[in-house]
Amino acid sequence: MHEAVICVAAPCLAISPEHGQLTGRGIEGIYRSGRRLLSRCVLRVAGRDPVPVQGRSLGADRASFTATVRTGVEPGPDPDIGVERVRHADGTERITVRSFAARPLRLPVEVSLGTDLAELAAVAAGRAGPELAAGVHAAGLRWSTEEALAVTTAEPAPDDALATAGLLRWQLELGPGESRSIELRTTRDRTARAPAGQVANPLAEVRAEGDDPRAEAWLRTSVEDLRALLLRDPAEPGDAFAAAGVPWRLGLAPAESLWAARMALPLGTGLAAATLRTLARGQISGRGPGAGMIPGPLRAAGPQLPPGCTGTEATLGFPAVLAEARRWGLPEDDVARLLPAAERCLHWLRSALGKDGLLADPDPGPRRCETQAHAHRAALLGADLLDGCGRAGAAEWREWAAALRERFLDRFWIDGPDGGRPAAALHPDGRPLARLTGAAAHLLDTGLLGGGRLAPGLLDRIRTEQLARLLGAPAMDSGWGLRSMATREPGHNPFGHRSGAVRAHESAVAVAGLAQAGHDKEAAGLLRGLLDAAQVFGYRLPEMYAAEQRTAGSAPLPHPAACRPAAVAAAAGIHALTALAGIRPDAPASTVAVTPRAGAPLGALRLAGLRVAGEPFTVRISRLGVGMVEEAADGLQLGG
């Protein structure tokens, strides 16, 4: 998949090879809502296959493929025909043929079309059926089964349409220097219609300017990709959430949708509000087992104690994201409507604890260190939310969090001559799994409270310093980002989802957490590695990539099963870059604190078009790491 040119405008998707010809092989094709509407679209000009010159992305939802043709009407080796194909995720393709010849030409142009109308899951598993027989349709071809229909229409209409061969033909007259265009449109309807627009954009038009121009490219691409992954909630089409990723998971994955919305809070609270409303509608109600939980899809991720289900992570994330969205400026009416769902999540947390006072994921199962960190953050930010909304119970949740902190330090921290480390997990019988993993970065992600304060974490200052040293050492910092498992641990695999590969969003969590804890050197090292990797991947980071150690002249290796773009990877770029400014808003109190990172690891940087308290917010960071607010909402005061 890493070699494919992918265009996405959810729920539409186009997967093309670099040469642009859809040959029907593998996963190539035009998709809508998980159905392949077109698998083959092969162009021939003057009886010849165009020679590919370049394939490149023009944005998240479209790509261009340039080729040439030598017809032989002119002497010499130079091509006399240029071909450009601009393909959109929504199934629209514009083919432009341009003549470089010195004499008029009459060119036959053919487009060979076909499809199997297969589901994406069947295509990915190699179980797609044979191509279907085509039928002639007004200005193109159509294919149908009992479950699905696809139509490809052309403008101008073809001179010939041969259903048996799936072929459309034109005769184009071109004078010297002239061009002609053909537009193909593939839909699920018998009547061609204008392509459906994307959901209303809840993300601000943010800009980055500074000494390192790559920051602007990374931020722009991250926002475009996250926007392209937005899907409407069928139950309430006005609400949008970020789909997990392309091509394998173009749908709702609650924890990842919440992570993306949380990391995008500096671009406005609209995505977080819509995502929270979507998840609240699916929350388990009643008083039985699981009441209050946000259900999540089952997933498998290898033998290294992966979560069996995203439900726990999403349920713990719900009150935390709502609390932080309120601090960024989510209107109090919206907070009030979502507060009952957040309270149900907290009630579930209390009921789901094991007899040892720790939280398993799934139950019965291991007590993972990041799950305890998520639970601790949910309790503290939940208490802050209850206090801010005048609800009872905040003091009890703070006491609960303090008790969890004591249990964690007693049970999870493994002392050693090197300063010790947190266990990756506890087995159900209480034995620690003494592996160092990237999940430990979540121990640094404490969350935002009122007055621009950060919530306390599970670790004390000395242990936080030790964890920072571990995460910044070569065993964990690959030079391209944070490994999901240290190199010397048993079972390390540089391609392993949880056993070694770099996970983009976990690396961004580490960058922000280290910076907030004052460990700027380690944060800067991971940030530069992420930015360098983003550049290699055309600023579209995959959700994970192999964690081979960086050496002179090397490049990060793609992971063959990674989604790209992926919501959490796109949001990671936003999170890592905005972490440089250290923006800590408290919209209910009309204050904002700005604490830029010391040393300015990317030099001078200006972030414009952010949103705090619902209004534009622009901050500039000097080369000395001094921050200056250039634009802010009226009445918003700078805090400490």
Side-chain angles (χ1 to χ4, degrees):
M1 288 307 305
H2 59 276
E3 294 180 347
V5 180
I6 297 178
C7 308
V8 59
C12 304
L13 173 65
I15 304 175
S16 311
E18 289 182 307
H19 53 70
Q21 298 271 41
L22 298 181
T23 64
R25 300 189 186 99
I27 200 170
E28 295 171 12
I30 305 293
Y31 295 81
R32 186 176 179 92
S33 300
R35 175 82 64 179
R36 181 155 67 178
L37 302 185
L38 194 67
S39 59
R40 182 165 51 87
C41 183
V42 177
L43 172 69
R44 287 175 63 85
V45 178
R48 295 167 171 83
D49 292 327
V51 177
V53 174
Q54 183 186 67
R56 63 191 181 96
S57 173
L58 299 179
D61 64 342
R62 63 197 186 281
S64 171
F65 305 94
T66 303
T68 61
V69 176
R70 183 172 176 268
T71 66
V73 299
E74 299 284 354
D78 298 336
D80 44 33
I81 298 294
V83 179
E84 183 183 34
R85 306 171 72 172
V86 177
R87 182 170 296 143
H88 294 251
D90 62 17
T92 303
E93 177 170 342
R94 189 171 185 84
I95 302 169
T96 301
V97 180
R98 178 173 289 105
S99 173
F100 306 135
R103 67 188 73 181
L105 297 177
R106 182 178 175 83
L107 288 178
V109 174
E110 298 179 348
V111 177
S112 176
L113 303 168
T115 188
D116 48 20
L117 291 177
E119 293 280 2
L120 176 58
V123 177
R127 293 186 282 103
E131 282 193 359
L132 302 169
V136 175
H137 172 83
L141 299 174
R142 62 176 174 83
W143 303 263
S144 63
T145 65
E146 291 182 358
E147 297 86 18
L149 169 74
V151 174
T152 297
T153 58
E155 175 62 38
D159 300 319
D160 279 315
L162 305 179
T164 54
L167 199 63
L168 304 181
R169 290 174 173 169
W170 294 261
Q171 290 288 336
L172 301 185
E173 305 276 354
L174 288 100
E178 289 186 342
S179 63
R180 296 287 185 273
S181 294
I182 298 167
E183 184 169 284
L184 304 176
R185 180 167 292 154
T186 300
T187 70
R188 296 188 299 180
D189 306 289
R190 296 182 184 275
T191 303
R193 299 183 300 184
Q198 292 178 262
V199 298
N201 178 25
L203 304 174
E205 298 292 339
V206 65
R207 302 178 305 283
E209 306 164 0
D211 290 341
D212 193 330
R214 299 178 302 166
E216 189 277 332
W218 190 18
L219 183 60
R220 183 186 67 252
T221 304
S222 295
V223 175
E224 287 179 357
D225 283 346
L226 188 57
R227 184 181 302 158
L229 288 168
L230 296 181
L231 280 174
R232 291 183 175 91
D233 179 9
E236 192 63 51
D239 286 340
F241 58 86
V246 169
W248 318 115
R249 295 187 295 136
L250 191 56
L252 177 64
E256 290 166 63
S257 296
L258 271 178
W259 269 110
R262 182 187 180 214
M263 289 178 161
L265 279 171
L267 276 61
T269 60
L271 179 58
T275 303
L276 290 166
R277 287 193 294 266
T278 298
L279 297 183
R281 284 189 281 272
Q283 188 176 34
I284 298 174
S285 59
R287 297 181 177 275
M293 192 175 198
I294 306 291
L298 293 175
R299 64 184 182 188
Q304 304 298 336
L305 293 179
C309 176
T310 59
T312 297
E313 192 173 353
T315 307
L316 298 177
F318 191 104
V321 173
L322 179 58
E324 289 192 311
R326 179 173 177 266
R327 295 298 173 188
W328 280 93
L330 182 63
E332 292 295 340
D333 287 348
D334 291 337
V335 175
R337 283 191 288 270
L338 289 163
L339 185 59
E343 290 180 306
R344 288 192 290 271
C345 290
L346 292 173
H347 290 318
W348 172 85
L349 169 58
R350 196 187 301 275
S351 68
L353 285 180
K355 293 180 180 180
D356 56 1
L358 300 170
L359 189 63
D361 184 17
D363 189 27
R367 277 78 168 133
R368 297 186 294 124
C369 78
E370 68 268 34
T371 302
Q372 316 316 309
H374 296 159
H376 186 257
R377 185 179 64 230
L380 288 178
L381 270 63
D384 187 63
L385 181 65
L386 294 173
D387 259 351
C389 296
R391 303 294 280 263
E396 290 82 359
W397 277 113
R398 292 190 181 99
E399 292 173 4
W400 185 93
L404 177 61
R405 191 171 191 260
E406 292 182 8
R407 286 192 294 272
F408 185 89
L409 292 174
D410 179 57
R411 303 285 302 281
F412 272 82
W413 191 264
I414 302 171
D415 289 317
D418 61 349
R421 62 169 63 182
L426 299 183
H427 291 284
D429 61 6
R431 289 179 297 113
L433 180 67
R435 292 181 183 142
L436 179 61
T437 70
H442 292 272
L443 296 171
L444 303 173
D445 177 32
T446 59
L448 182 65
L449 297 176
R453 296 174 296 114
L454 294 170
L458 282 172
L459 302 180
D460 57 27
R461 182 182 61 82
I462 294 175
R463 290 179 174 89
T464 297
E465 290 176 354
Q466 170 63 5
L467 179 58
R469 284 193 291 269
L470 292 172
L471 297 183
M476 287 298 292
D477 183 354
S478 70
W480 302 112
L482 186 73
R483 291 184 171 94
S484 55
M485 183 185 288
T487 52
R488 297 177 182 176
E489 300 296 343
H492 171 81
N493 175 359
F495 285 91
H497 177 217
R498 292 232 165 212
S499 55
V502 173
R503 303 172 70 206
H505 93 283
E506 207 158 69
S507 294
V509 167
V511 168
L514 287 165
Q516 289 167 356
H519 299 283
D520 294 305
K521 178 183 176 182
E522 292 82 0
L526 287 172
L527 173 63
R528 292 190 190 103
L530 267 184
L531 180 54
D532 291 342
Q535 183 180 16
V536 173
F537 286 113
Y539 302 104
R540 175 180 274 183
L541 276 176
E543 62 176 327
M544 59 182 169
Y545 45 95
E548 296 284 10
Q549 185 62 45
R550 184 174 184 172
T551 58
S554 69
L557 296 177
H559 191 292
C563 285
R564 179 172 176 260
V568 290
I574 301 168
H575 192 56
L577 289 172
T578 55
L580 291 174
I583 305 168
R584 301 177 186 173
D586 187 354
S590 297
T591 63
V592 61
V594 176
T595 54
R597 305 280 55 86
L602 301 184
L605 179 67
R606 179 176 182 266
L607 297 172
L610 303 173
R611 291 292 185 274
V612 174
E615 297 293 332
F617 187 85
T618 298
V619 62
R620 182 187 296 274
I621 307 163
S622 74
R623 294 185 181 93
L624 299 177
V626 176
M628 181 178 69
V629 175
E630 294 185 352
E631 182 182 23
D634 291 340
L636 193 64
Q637 301 295 316
L638 284 177

